Amino acid sequence: MPMDLPLSQLVSDDGSHVHRKIFTDPALYELEKQHIFSKTWIYMGHESQIPKVGDFITSFIAETPVIVSRAGDKEIYVTINSCSHRGVPVCRADQGNTRRFICPYHNWTFNNKGDLVSIPQERKVCNKPEKAELGLKRVPRVETYRGLIYACMDENVEPLTDYLGGMAWYLDCFFDRFDGGIEVIGSPHKWTINCNWKLPVENHLGDIGHGPYLHGSILQGTPQVQELEDTGLNVVPKPGHGLSVRLMPEGTPDEMCMFGMDGVAGMDPEVNQYLRESHKKVTERLGEVRSRLKPLCYSVFPNLSFLWPNMTLRTSHPRGPGQIEYWSWFVIEKNAPEHIKEKLKIHYTMMFGPGGLLEGEDAEAWSQQFSGSNIDYADDRTYYYGLGLGEEESHPEIPGKVGSCFNEHYAREFYLQWRQRLEQGIQETSKLEIK
Amino acid sequence: MTEITRDLISDVEQFYFREARMLDNREFQQWLRLVTTDVEYRVPVRYIPQPDPKKKETEAFLGVEQELSQGLEPDFRKENFFILSLRAMRAFKLNSWTDNPPARTRRFISNVEVLPTDQEGCYEAYSNTMIYYSRHQKDNHTFTAQRKDLLRLEKGELKIAKREVIIDWNIITGPSLSIFY
Ligand code: FES
Ligand SMILES: [Fe+2]
């Protein structure tokens, strides 16, 4: 261990105490990259971003840059953006369409599967390099769920649907809600926040309780806050994943159950009309229970989040223990009318993204959490994650373990999952070393 | 078409300097009076596109426009008077945690150019802004951007009817793009 403490002292057995060093320690961060980011499914982007052959976007697995492209066989390939010759990144754009990635240094050229197709210097030497062995390194596993593209560095990882487990039922609420599916529009907003990568994820797992406080200048006294306290639930469909929902009681009128689009956008008559129309098909597609479900925020282990009311997907890409590159996308029903897309897009950027009113407050809290954690002399004071401890239970209507909207079991399960994966990874490597 | 006189250019410059002073002094409520009620305020995203081989050898190849969000693509910000007022008013609340304690800012406005439009009393104006932004003890950043404004005379007073702010970053390395540019 990098630190004198075993992992069991970093996260207590019931998850209710978490050591501040898990947010700041550089050696633990190296272990996270080795045993978490290279072993779990990592979100890359959405299929609607690369519909055509040759389309590509870039992404990251932890700090490693990758290219996600749609090749001639219509399949999606994820390759590490580092030339096989000397490591220069071969793709320098955020997104686009191309048949070839040409490395700037000596112009080795790769196709969108990452295969090396030409070496300009090849004709000038006698021993011919084996091009088939010199392609870009391919990320071995790529799978999609409802258009969400995932990749994993571990060839033997479980199938994506097993990995998501009960989370899929909740993801479907949005990603399978509409006949024509959903789409991601535009390139992501990207900005750096000086915080640990786990904090934004923890926030979206179910920290809905901070709303009226941190965001008090905007949310205090709004009907949404009352509704949240009355009907809000924190759900852990599978340890590590989590979400917050409002489950409206049976018999609640439709207009109270619509979509879960809150605040200013829902007050706009045109948006309201759209939400009414779109709600009509929900029961048919998702069943009666999910027609009363109004999700708020989701996180999927380790670093994908989704914020329902403002329709944004986000990933927390680590940049060392104390910084992230936060990426945030706008998602919407593909067949929504243009004027609705325009209005909801503004509803997203007004509140979220680097210029968003609420996001600014979250980012402030997350970076201050890092400052407050990165100190000495307080190691005996672990953070308290015990709100609602033991009060979560299974629910008659929705899957997973369910607690009240202030129950922090989502975070306890997340950090226990984190601890378990590190313990397992460390154990496996030490076995290898002994061999 | 309105004629662009030296007096007018000087008026626009003074208007911008006054605006910058107001914002640096955190007089956001007064600043709201410098924009029209139908104002359009936009900060597009600036991404890195794949070069278009069809445009090579022409200036369009490097055109800034193709790096900016357009159409239905989300900008960093696209706001009307209501959203701007929400930002301006929030700063003065005790529980506005991003403004309390407030950032220390210093704006430098330069490269002012005033161009005629075909509407009476309306001018297009370009300017550059450099904003030194300091939060808490030592969280210091410098923003630079081009501003493209539509200025309109209302009862003899210049007002901002439209502002487009072209940021010079791809990945935003400051803590927030929430300020007024
Ligand atoms: S480094 Fe890529 S071609 Fe030499
Ligand atoms: Fe928040």
Side-chain angles (χ1 to χ4, degrees):
Chain A
M1 271 302 292
M3 318 179 13
D4 313 333
L5 292 169
L7 283 156
S8 59
Q9 286 194 33
L10 296 177
V11 180
S12 68
D13 289 350
D14 64 2
S16 67
H17 286 276
V18 171
H19 199 285
R20 56 185 75 214
K21 286 284 181 283
I22 79 158
F23 301 105
T24 60
D25 187 76
L28 273 176
Y29 172 62
E30 290 306 316
L31 292 175
E32 290 176 331
K33 287 197 285 187
Q34 195 184 341
H35 301 306
I36 292 176
F37 283 91
S38 72
K39 294 282 165 55
T40 53
W41 285 103
I42 304 293
Y43 180 69
M44 295 286 105
H46 190 266
E47 286 206 63
S48 60
Q49 294 172 277
I50 47 170
K52 297 192 298 292
V53 168
D55 284 350
F56 71 89
I57 49 175
T58 53
S59 188
F60 282 94
I61 296 178
E63 295 193 64
T64 299
V66 294
I67 310 168
V68 182
S69 52
R70 174 93 58 188
D73 58 4
K74 306 259 171 65
E75 294 295 318
I76 297 166
Y77 291 81
V78 180
T79 48
I80 293 182
N81 188 7
S82 169
C83 179
S84 326
H85 187 220
R86 294 289 183 274
V88 173
V90 300
C91 172
R92 319 172 108 196
D94 293 330
Q95 62 185 59
N97 182 287
T98 189
R99 285 173 50 232
R100 297 277 184 263
F101 294 99
I102 304 172
C103 179
Y105 202 179
H106 312 89
N107 289 186
W108 285 27
T109 299
F110 303 85
N111 67 16
N112 33 30
K113 291 183 180 176
D115 302 328
L116 177 59
V117 290
S118 82
I119 301 179
Q121 303 79 9
E122 193 176 23
R123 277 174 283 121
K124 298 165 191 168
V125 294
C126 304
N127 73 330
K128 302 294 175 209
E130 191 53 65
K131 286 210 284 291
E133 286 164 16
L134 290 169
L136 299 177
K137 175 159 177 166
R138 206 175 270 172
V139 179
R141 293 282 297 276
V142 179
E143 286 179 21
T144 63
Y145 182 76
R146 304 269 185 235
L148 303 165
I149 307 166
Y150 267 90
C152 182
M153 288 308 301
D154 181 1
E155 211 160 347
N156 303 315
V157 70
E158 63 193 316
L160 177 61
T161 44
D162 294 357
Y163 178 80
L164 295 172
M167 194 67 178
W169 191 83
Y170 292 100
L171 285 169
D172 288 354
C173 280
F174 186 75
F175 295 94
D176 194 30
R177 191 179 196 86
F178 311 102
D179 289 342
I182 65 107
E183 68 176 333
V184 165
I185 307 182
S187 66
H189 290 154
K190 301 178 185 177
W191 69 111
T192 55
I193 305 175
N194 293 328
C195 70
N196 184 264
W197 67 270
K198 296 185 283 302
L199 242 265
V201 181
E202 178 196 311
N203 176 291
H204 290 80
L205 275 166
D207 187 349
I208 212 68
H210 76 283
Y213 304 99
L214 177 68
H215 304 304
S217 69
I218 294 171
L219 301 182
Q220 213 169 44
T222 59
Q224 281 78 23
V225 170
Q226 192 53 49
E227 184 185 271
L228 177 70
E229 297 204 357
D230 295 344
T231 60
L233 299 170
N234 280 342
V235 185
V236 177
K238 187 183 174 195
H241 311 322
L243 71 156
S244 272
V245 300
R246 286 152 300 176
L247 180 63
M248 307 309 277
E250 241 175 304
T252 307
D254 267 7
E255 60 270 25
M256 299 292 294
C257 297
M258 291 179 331
F259 203 50
M261 171 60 59
D262 300 88
V264 187
M267 294 185 309
D268 180 288
E270 283 176 340
V271 174
N272 202 283
Q273 180 61 29
Y274 159 72
L275 294 177
R276 267 168 207 276
E277 282 304 312
S278 117
H279 195 77
K280 286 184 186 152
K281 284 200 182 153
V282 172
T283 311
E284 190 187 314
R285 285 192 72 90
L286 299 170
E288 195 277 330
V289 172
R290 281 187 287 184
S291 79
R292 287 185 279 120
L293 200 64
K294 299 203 284 184
L296 284 153
C297 53
Y298 295 56
S299 279
V300 182
F301 194 87
N303 70 335
L304 172 70
S305 301
F306 173 56
L307 203 52
W308 180 299
N310 298 76
M311 296 157 83
T312 163
L313 272 166
R314 43 257 324 276
T315 50
S316 171
H317 296 298
R319 296 290 177 268
Q323 192 176 69
I324 62 166
E325 210 173 286
Y326 209 36
W327 287 25
S328 165
W329 297 262
F330 171 59
V331 288
I332 179 128
E333 176 188 5
K334 194 166 195 287
N335 294 337
E338 291 229 339
H339 68 283
I340 295 296
K341 288 183 180 175
E342 176 67 21
K343 285 191 168 170
L344 291 180
K345 163 187 102 178
I346 288 167
H347 184 59
Y348 156 56
T349 56
M350 157 186 183
M351 291 302 183
F352 288 92
L357 281 160
L358 295 175
E359 187 98 57
E361 293 172 332
D362 290 319
E364 165 83 2
W366 302 334
S367 55
Q368 292 286 297
Q369 191 267 3
F370 183 77
S371 301
S373 301
N374 197 24
I375 58 172
D376 301 310
Y377 313 134
D379 284 354
D380 57 330
R381 305 302 302 272
T382 50
Y383 294 142
Y384 184 67
Y385 278 80
L387 288 185
L389 183 67
E391 293 166 17
E392 58 278 4
E393 47 194 13
S394 45
H395 191 279
E397 293 192 300
I398 58 177
K401 281 263 183 279
V402 180
S404 83
C405 68
F406 293 103
N407 187 325
E408 294 175 329
H409 68 123
Y410 60 87
R412 293 191 285 276
E413 295 291 359
F414 179 83
Y415 291 113
L416 283 170
Q417 180 66 209
W418 175 89
R419 170 181 143 182
Q420 190 190 319
R421 283 184 178 270
L422 289 189
E423 281 172 341
Q424 197 183 330
I426 291 166
Q427 211 176 21
E428 279 164 16
T429 15
S430 63
K431 263 191 230 146
L432 286 179
E433 276 161 13
I434 292 162
K435 272 187 205 160
Chain B
M1 197 136 95
T2 358
E3 200 195 336
I4 306 296
T5 61
R6 280 185 186 281
D7 274 356
L8 176 71
I9 295 169
S10 168
D11 285 351
V12 170
E13 283 177 344
Q14 288 299 310
F15 173 77
Y16 282 155
F17 299 158
R18 200 162 54 244
E19 181 196 15
R21 179 164 52 85
M22 261 181 202
L23 290 172
D24 289 340
N25 288 344
R26 306 169 186 145
E27 296 160 351
F28 307 130
Q29 295 167 351
Q30 294 185 59
W31 176 80
L32 282 177
R33 292 191 216 128
L34 303 186
V35 303
T36 63
T37 48
D38 62 351
V39 63
E40 291 171 41
Y41 193 100
R42 188 170 91 96
V43 185
V45 166
R46 192 140 184 202
Y47 79 101
I48 304 175
Q50 179 79 356
D52 181 354
K54 289 195 287 294
K55 293 182 186 160
K56 70 171 194 267
E57 319 291 340
T58 71
E59 286 186 354
F61 187 66
L62 300 180
V64 172
E65 278 300 311
Q66 61 196 355
E67 299 173 5
L68 307 179
S69 47
Q70 45 197 288
L72 287 173
E73 295 171 356
D75 305 299
F76 282 129
R77 286 168 55 182
K78 185 170 187 183
E79 308 189 338
N80 55 17
F81 189 79
F82 169 74
I83 302 178
L84 292 175
S85 329
L86 205 63
R87 286 182 189 279
M89 304 317 252
R90 183 183 67 153
F92 301 98
K93 294 189 182 175
L94 203 55
N95 59 354
S96 167
W97 298 109
T98 37
D99 299 282
N100 183 7
R104 296 165 293 272
T105 60
R106 192 65 58 206
R107 288 166 172 76
F108 301 86
I109 311 298
S110 72
N111 305 54
V112 177
E113 251 182 290
V114 187
L115 306 169
T117 69
D118 44 21
Q119 279 168 279
E120 182 65 30
C122 278
Y123 316 100
E124 204 172 60
Y126 290 92
S127 57
N128 288 353
T129 178
M130 183 161 87
I131 308 176
Y132 187 74
Y133 177 93
S134 176
R135 271 284 278 154
H136 297 301
Q137 289 86 2
K138 52 175 181 162
D139 187 11
N140 302 334
H141 303 270
T142 308
F143 299 90
T144 62
Q146 183 197 46
R147 303 188 305 186
K148 191 176 165 189
D149 289 352
L150 184 71
L151 301 175
R152 195 194 298 149
L153 278 171
E154 278 188 5
K155 299 200 185 105
E157 304 270 321
L158 281 169
K159 297 218 166 168
I160 303 157
K162 210 176 198 178
R163 173 164 286 173
E164 193 172 83
V165 182
I166 314 241
I167 297 273
D168 295 320
W169 279 330
N170 173 239
I171 295 168
I172 304 303
T173 54
S176 163
L177 289 180
S178 281
I179 57 172
F180 297 115
Y181 291 91

